[in-house]
Amino acid sequence: MLQYPHLISSEIYRASRYGAKHPLSIPRVSLAVDLIKAMGWFPEDRFVEGPIATPEQLHRFHDPDYVAALLRAEEGNLTEAEKDRWNIGRNGNPIYPEVFRRPATAAGSSILAAHMVRDGGTVHSPAGGTHHGRRDRASGFCFLNDPVLGILTLLDAGIAPVVYVDLDAHHGDGVEIAFQHDPRVTTLSIHEAGRWPRTGGLHHDLGPTVINFPVEPGFQDDEFYYILETAILPIVQNVEPAAIVIQCGVDGLADDPMSKLSLSNNVYPVAVSALMRLAPRHIVLGGGGYNPFAVARAWTLIWAAIDGRDGTEMELPQAARNVLKGVHWRHSLAKSPPARWFDQLIDPPNTGSIRDSIRETVRAVLNATG
């Protein structure tokens, strides 16, 4: 059993870019790791270099022909017909120099994390969380589905049941599809209703192990806590999971340009801490997030929660400020950035009344799950 939480990352994320104008061409994993270091929270003795998954490991979920195509894409050897077939170089899934190695490192990290927590413990891999990847094609900026591969590794070790909780603003469709008929895995996703991929509706016939919480624009902290405490935590506790996999996409933040949700970064460490108490094994992944300042601060707070540290300090040390001030982001949001992006780790909370629609969503889910 792991005595202390471990963090998996890789230097591949520092220089790798999806393309100049792509939403993911911003520092995220490397920036979060740098910020954790600047806070004095980097676990040198608990850091693990993320390995590149082998094709054979990827075949546990992904079609071998698709994996071969992804390898050829990195070599620049895909025909136009193959690009269409595999959705590589199409629809926001660009071909770039590390188009196989980068997602395969995230996949290898999630597979390794599952092995590491076999006897108990916690592993954090912020590069993981590529939850849209399909068995035989790229989807939603995701070329491989590392959460699925991590969960399959747990199941192959006889670790079940597993609960997957997806906090991303976008529905975790790829993971849901992979396990919707497997009673050993319960998938829960809280996401913005109607946002791409426009799945994950409240009413469906996929059974009690597929649970979705579609929420409206403006979704704020108090509404998040209401769903967490009233529905998610009781449902997870009832499952009595042997392991929990948490996808911590932070594109639901009010500061993120890719959703219309209004969360502060307060909610993520609260959710992760509460969920971790409900199982002996935990894999905590990253996910979406398209404002580098918001992502790095939120993921640093998540690591603090995982590692049992107090992440509520309002003033950042100078070393941490320097890390954030060294980032150049060309988005319009960066033209007049608030001082708190550079001076504070935690956001002011976004509070408010709980809308009737949120209460009705919780009632419907609880009725459906018994």
Side-chain angles (χ1 to χ4, degrees):
M1 178 177 179
L2 294 176
Q3 186 175 2
Y4 300 105
H6 283 59
L7 190 152
I8 301 179
S9 187
S10 171
E11 280 296 295
I12 195 171
Y13 307 109
R14 189 173 299 278
S16 175
R17 294 289 182 270
Y18 269 46
K21 296 183 179 180
H22 196 282
L24 278 181
S25 288
I26 57 173
R28 293 173 2 115
V29 177
S30 59
L31 184 60
V33 171
D34 288 348
L35 188 56
I36 290 169
K37 288 181 178 180
M39 295 296 293
W41 297 344
F42 190 74
E44 294 283 357
D45 59 334
R46 293 183 279 128
F47 171 76
V48 180
E49 182 71 23
I52 299 175
T54 65
E56 291 72 25
Q57 288 177 309
L58 298 176
H59 296 166
R60 180 63 182 87
F61 174 63
H62 290 285
D63 186 303
D65 289 340
Y66 171 66
V67 174
L70 197 57
L71 280 162
R72 292 200 308 277
E74 184 161 301
E75 299 165 354
N77 294 325
L78 278 192
T79 67
E80 294 303 308
E82 288 176 318
K83 293 175 185 178
D84 291 338
R85 167 66 184 87
W86 310 112
N87 205 29
I88 301 172
R90 300 286 190 266
N91 304 311
N93 308 306
I95 296 175
Y96 60 99
E98 306 82 17
V99 69
F100 174 79
R101 283 172 292 157
R102 175 171 165 165
T105 300
S109 298
S110 290
I111 293 168
L112 175 60
H115 286 300
M116 290 174 65
V117 302
R118 179 169 180 166
D119 296 323
T122 306
V123 173
H124 181 35
S125 179
T130 54
H131 58 168
H132 298 306
R134 300 298 184 88
R135 186 184 66 83
D136 60 353
R137 67 183 187 275
S139 179
F141 311 162
C142 303
F143 295 88
L144 299 169
N145 198 310
D146 71 275
V148 169
L149 289 161
I151 293 170
L152 286 171
T153 304
L154 292 171
L155 296 175
D156 290 346
I159 298 169
V162 176
V163 171
Y164 171 79
V165 179
D166 193 310
L167 304 179
D168 199 284
H170 300 80
H171 176 231
D173 60 332
V175 183
E176 178 181 293
I177 290 169
F179 295 111
Q180 62 188 8
H181 300 303
D182 190 331
R184 299 173 296 173
V185 181
T186 297
T187 61
L188 297 93
S189 178
I190 181 168
H191 50 268
E192 184 178 342
R195 183 158 295 280
W196 190 96
R198 300 180 184 86
T199 54
L202 183 60
H203 303 292
H204 49 69
D205 300 315
L206 297 177
T209 61
V210 177
I211 301 164
N212 288 305
F213 297 90
V215 299
E216 294 81 0
F219 183 66
Q220 34 81 356
D221 295 10
D222 285 339
E223 293 177 324
F224 181 97
Y225 294 138
Y226 177 77
I227 291 179
L228 178 71
E229 295 165 5
T230 308
I232 293 178
L233 295 180
I235 290 170
V236 174
Q237 188 169 25
N238 188 59
V239 173
E240 298 183 351
I244 293 179
V245 177
I246 312 171
Q247 198 268 17
C248 293
V250 294
D251 43 4
L253 289 168
D255 288 332
D256 196 278
M258 292 282 278
S259 84
K260 294 182 179 179
L261 305 185
S262 301
L263 297 171
S264 79
N265 62 18
N266 292 260
V267 304
Y268 297 101
V270 170
V272 169
S273 296
L275 287 164
M276 285 176 56
R277 289 192 286 269
L278 302 181
R281 302 169 183 85
H282 327 101
I283 299 174
V284 183
L285 306 172
Y290 304 93
N291 174 336
F293 306 103
V295 172
R297 290 163 58 247
W299 285 354
T300 299
L301 279 170
I302 289 168
W303 170 253
I306 292 169
D307 204 33
R309 298 179 181 271
D310 181 7
T312 61
E313 301 176 34
M314 292 304 292
E315 297 297 324
L316 288 176
Q318 190 60 50
R321 297 185 189 196
N322 292 342
V323 166
L324 292 169
K325 289 180 178 179
V327 175
H328 300 285
W329 188 38
R330 296 182 178 180
H331 195 277
S332 59
L333 288 177
K335 292 181 179 178
S336 300
R340 61 181 171 80
W341 285 6
F342 310 97
D343 298 341
Q344 302 170 9
L345 193 59
I346 199 159
D347 294 329
N350 293 333
T351 61
S353 60
I354 299 165
R355 288 171 287 182
D356 290 342
S357 59
I358 299 295
R359 296 182 186 275
E360 179 54 38
T361 293
V362 168
R363 279 195 295 269
V365 168
L366 293 178
N367 287 338
T369 57

